[in-house]
Amino acid sequence: YHEIHFRNFFVYRMILTAEVNYRTITLNKTALNHDSDGLDNKNTPPQIAALHSKHGENKHEKLIAVAVLAAFSSLPYAAEKDITTDVVVVGQGAAGTAAAFAAAEQGAKVIGFEKKGMVGGTGNLEGIFAVGSKMQRDYYIPLTKDEAFKKIMNYGHWRSNARLVRAFVDKSADTVEWMQKHGVKFEKLTTNYPGASTRHIYQGRGAGWINALQKKGKDEYGMQVLLNTPAEKLIFGKDGKVAGRVAKDKDGNSYNIHAKAVIIATGGL
């Protein structure tokens, strides 16, 4: 279905372009004259002169043929590119931006892909949870990491991955300090559920820090991000391990990205 639809689109475009070219050619006084044979041999383009005959053939048919050839010559050709990198990150929202930036900061060659025309996704929110940060201490909020861990686990009826939640809580303050080190600013602390008033609100909200790290990642660490380029499938090595990702942009160009590590950050909310 998609292949048929793709071909029909270009046939439709070819017809429209041919019509435009035909009208342009027929109105071009440099190409056509009003003498008996319909051509000015001095100024006539060779494509038209070659098709013209002095035996009474239909001039319009010849011009349409030229227009169709011109339309076909203007059709874009999709390319297939093979790229090798260290890390490929699928999705450039909050998680994808942080992952790509952190890897690039450590010296890895990073390429990120985003299916939309802009970064951020559902990460353009107001703040981030953290416990044990300097900002929390400045606000005299006594919540401990153990208390935060229990609140989160109770909220999910202890169905969450306890080790993952514990790591999330323990690293949360370090994450805030890491962001601050790279220029991210926070306005205040607030709460996102009762008893946990340690939600750190970004200055400029989520879009502020995401755009800031995207820019710094590109300018200082050579991080690459391709927009309007959704990932389509994984590339597997002979050993069955993930070895890259295939993506395609809006123009139909395919990217076969071979990488040492693939990070999929497309969860959203």
Side-chain angles (χ1 to χ4, degrees):
Y1 166 79
H2 292 291
E3 183 178 357
I4 295 173
H5 178 76
F6 180 76
R7 290 179 178 176
N8 286 343
F9 167 78
F10 281 113
V11 170
Y12 179 64
R13 176 177 172 181
M14 179 270 290
I15 294 172
L16 290 180
T17 307
E19 176 67 16
V20 172
N21 288 343
Y22 163 70
R23 293 180 183 277
T24 302
I25 293 171
T26 55
L27 293 175
N28 189 338
K29 293 182 180 180
T30 303
L32 296 178
N33 206 335
H34 297 289
D35 57 10
S36 58
D37 62 12
L39 292 177
D40 179 350
N41 293 327
K42 181 179 180 181
N43 296 318
T44 300
Q47 296 95 329
I48 298 178
L51 290 172
H52 183 69
S53 170
K54 295 183 180 181
H55 300 290
E57 294 179 355
N58 190 304
K59 178 171 62 181
H60 287 179
E61 291 179 358
K62 287 177 266 182
L63 291 177
I64 284 292
V66 173
V68 170
L69 291 174
F72 270 116
S73 66
S74 69
L75 292 178
Y77 292 92
E80 185 171 347
K81 302 178 182 179
D82 285 286
I83 302 174
T84 300
T85 189
D86 294 324
V87 179
V88 57
V89 182
V90 182
Q92 287 297 291
T97 295
F101 183 88
E105 180 189 19
Q106 296 300 315
K109 184 179 179 182
V110 181
I111 300 179
F113 290 92
E114 171 57 48
K115 68 178 180 180
K116 295 184 179 179
M118 60 182 293
V119 298
T122 59
N124 292 322
L125 302 175
E126 62 179 12
I128 181 176
F129 163 84
V131 60
S133 69
K134 180 181 182 301
M135 195 171 180
Q136 178 190 337
R137 294 192 297 271
D138 291 342
Y139 273 69
Y140 300 103
I141 298 174
L143 183 69
T144 67
K145 292 181 179 180
D146 287 341
E147 291 171 337
F149 170 75
K150 290 178 181 179
K151 286 180 181 294
I152 294 173
M153 292 303 297
N154 286 335
Y155 184 82
H157 305 288
W158 286 82
R159 294 181 179 178
S160 302
N161 184 321
R163 291 186 177 183
L164 185 60
V165 171
R166 187 77 224 194
F168 169 72
V169 171
D170 289 346
K171 293 290 185 180
S172 60
D174 294 340
T175 300
V176 168
E177 293 176 6
W178 173 75
M179 296 176 77
Q180 289 175 321
K181 182 181 75 172
H182 290 293
V184 178
K185 299 184 183 301
F186 295 87
E187 293 180 357
K188 60 182 180 180
L189 293 185
T190 185
T191 181
N192 57 335
Y193 58 90
S197 301
T198 58
R199 186 169 180 80
H200 295 57
I201 304 302
Y202 306 117
Q203 188 178 85
R205 302 303 185 261
W209 78 264
I210 289 175
N211 291 331
L213 290 195
Q214 285 279 343
K215 185 177 186 306
K216 186 173 183 178
K218 295 172 187 176
D219 294 345
E220 297 187 17
Y221 303 124
M223 189 174 82
Q224 291 181 266
V225 173
L226 300 179
L227 301 177
N228 295 306
T229 310
E232 294 192 325
K233 60 182 179 180
L234 292 170
I235 297 175
F236 293 90
K238 294 181 179 179
D239 57 1
K241 295 182 179 180
V242 175
R245 190 79 173 183
V246 177
K248 183 175 290 186
D249 64 20
K250 62 180 181 180
D251 296 320
N253 299 309
S254 294
Y255 298 86
N256 301 319
I257 311 297
H258 305 275
K260 299 175 183 178
V262 177
I263 300 173
I264 300 177
T266 59
L269 290 178

